[in-house]
Amino acid sequence: MKKSAKPLIILGSSRSHGNTRKVIDRLIDMHSCDCIDLNDWTFSYYDYEHRNKEDDFIKIIDQLLLYDILIFASPIYWYSMSAVMKTFFDRISDLLKIRKDQGRQLRGKTMLVISCNGDSEDFPSFATPFELSADYLGMQYVGYYHTWLEDGNISLESDKKLVQLAEVLTALEAKSSD
């Protein structure tokens, strides 16, 4: 498959059409992005014996590797990423053990993070696992954007953050095409 110039959003939420999806749909309205919903795939927890190597995890990675800019989007559940997102990140260990060729292809890619919460309270530690994972994998971590909804609508402050994020994405794409 051909590499995409667009960013890829990886959505990991218990609700595919919940608040986090509203946020990323708004971003997609501002800046063209593709999206993978982890709920559309079947993959299991990390297994030291790799008995799950035939599930969809590597298929997701094959898609992800077609993009240079990756945006991980998750609601904040108990101060952390969603369970499906955590399972996905745990499975990255496969790329360090049995699929090293694909793991090496993450080097140099750009990572951003979007969180969504029920209110404006942000937990900066939410982004720490993403940031540390990016560093470990040789990826460029360029930011964390916390968002929330008010009365079912994206808050004004969150919308401003999404505008800023769209501008960052435009700059990153321009830089990568040079």
Side-chain angles (χ1 to χ4, degrees), residues 147-150 153-160:
T147 63
W148 64 95
L149 275 66
E150 294 173 348
N153 298 308
I154 297 170
S155 69
L156 291 175
E157 191 173 335
S158 295
D159 199 64
K160 288 178 188 175

Side-chain angles (χ1 to χ4, degrees), residues 77-125:
Y77 294 147
W78 289 99
Y79 318 103
S80 187
M81 67 181 81
S82 67
V84 69
M85 186 69 76
K86 177 68 168 98
T87 300
F88 179 79
F89 266 77
D90 286 350
R91 284 296 296 278
I92 290 174
S93 297
D94 287 355
L95 305 181
L96 307 174
K97 302 287 183 194
I98 60 171
R99 300 301 290 257
K100 292 178 183 179
D101 56 320
Q102 289 172 306
R104 288 184 194 103
Q105 292 177 55
L106 292 171
R107 288 185 194 144
K109 293 193 181 294
T110 300
M111 181 193 293
L112 301 101
V113 177
I114 298 173
S115 69
C116 188
N117 200 11
D119 55 40
S120 64
E121 186 173 9
D122 183 13
F123 301 95
S125 61

Side-chain angles (χ1 to χ4, degrees), residues 23-93:
V23 168
I24 63 172
D25 284 346
R26 175 70 176 124
L27 176 60
I28 292 168
D29 286 345
M30 292 184 225
H31 189 93
S32 182
C33 299
D34 290 334
C35 182
I36 288 177
D37 182 346
L38 294 177
N39 288 329
D40 292 339
W41 302 83
T42 302
F43 60 100
S44 62
Y45 304 106
Y46 179 72
D47 174 14
Y48 285 94
E49 319 238 323
H50 310 290
R51 291 174 294 219
N52 55 5
K53 62 185 172 189
E54 300 301 321
D55 68 11
D56 288 341
F57 177 74
I58 294 301
K59 293 174 189 167
I60 300 168
I61 293 300
D62 287 341
Q63 292 293 311
L64 185 141
L65 291 174
L66 297 174
Y67 297 83
D68 290 327
I69 301 170
L70 306 173
I71 305 167
F72 291 92
S74 172
I76 298 176
Y77 294 147
W78 289 99
Y79 318 103
S80 187
M81 67 181 81
S82 67
V84 69
M85 186 69 76
K86 177 68 168 98
T87 300
F88 179 79
F89 266 77
D90 286 350
R91 284 296 296 278
I92 290 174
S93 297

